[in-house]
Amino acid sequence: MLTVVDRPLIQYSVEESVRSGIKNIAIVISRGKSAIEDYFDDSPELEQFLEAKGKLDNLQEIRRISNLANFWYVRQKKALGLGHAILISEKFIGDESFAVLLPDDIFDCDIPCTKQLLDAHKELGASVIVLGRVDKEGTKKYGIIKYKQVSDRLFQIEDLVEKPGPEKAFSDLAVLGRYVFNPEIFDAIKNTPMDDKGEIQITDAIRILLKERPVYGYLFEGKRYDAGDKQEFIEATIDLALKRPEFSHKLKEFLKAKIS
Ligand code: G1P
């Protein structure tokens, strides 16, 4: 629920999903996260209050938010890793392909990042994950792939390792926070052992899936911010505010005055 500009981080992922054509969204939550459920729900008392105060812009915005999509909530009782969070959503997803969005990553792209993956998935029929290039530090923060390049932006994944560090990294291509999976990922997750921290890593499940099916990586077009990184969080706030007509003019003046 951390705010970037004027909306919680998770709203960027929700809006990206909606702009990519996804209308049914399950959010994996845990104890203490019910503010998320309330945020995307109707708020009749707040609506009445805003109407009485004549704050019609705000009223329109909160109605827009609760009508963005159909929301379901899946509770993860213990923090057993990303693979586990995906597995407990199986009942909601059923036997269909689906996208996974990690809300810490904000993607700012002309064609929404998830849409870029869905288009590649449609063409290939295989699971596709989003890739970005990273420096040495990045090899400690992300899953890193070994690949065969298929075209400019498309890579067939041969292997991948979770946060290998610069010495053991296969390449500078990292897995970022967007995935489109076919439902066979669920069996792969079920066959994935816990790692030494007691978590089920999606990276390990993808390695298992690779033995049976091809998996591709797609180097997305656009900009991405890791909102879990303080510097990038600040940059995202400034960049995204500059893109909003209601803030851009005054903000540019403010920044100019600071720099000069
Ligand atoms: C997860 C994945 C990792 C991926 C990253 C992208 O890691 O396990 O492979 O590179 O998301 O943000 P986490 O950030 O949960 O440690």
Side-chain angles (χ1 to χ4, degrees), residues 111-128:
I111 299 172
C113 181
T114 299
K115 176 79 168 63
Q116 295 181 38
L117 289 192
L118 287 170
D119 288 346
H121 171 262
K122 203 169 169 187
E123 215 172 293
L124 298 158
S127 297
V128 188

Side-chain angles (χ1 to χ4, degrees), residues 82 102 105 142-143 162-163 175-177 179 201 203:
L82 179 55
L102 308 185
D105 275 350
Y142 305 108
E162 183 70 5
K163 308 183 178 101
V175 176
L176 303 180
Y179 310 73
Q201 297 296 343
T203 303

Side-chain angles (χ1 to χ4, degrees), residues 89-98 181-184 186:
S89 310
E90 183 181 12
K91 278 220 169 68
F92 165 75
I93 294 161
D95 195 27
E96 284 186 56
S97 301
F98 61 99
F181 288 118
N182 284 335
E184 58 247 16
F186 292 124

Side-chain angles (χ1 to χ4, degrees), residues 240-254:
L240 296 171
L242 283 171
K243 287 195 160 187
R244 298 270 299 274
E246 66 270 46
F247 304 122
S248 70
H249 179 69
K250 279 192 179 168
L251 184 56
K252 270 184 203 153
E253 294 300 313
F254 174 79

Side-chain angles (χ1 to χ4, degrees), residues 10-18 25 27 40 68 71:
I10 194 164
Q11 192 176 335
Y12 289 89
S13 284
V14 166
E15 298 222 25
E16 180 187 320
S17 305
V18 172
I25 299 177
I27 301 182
F40 291 108
L68 273 172
F71 294 100

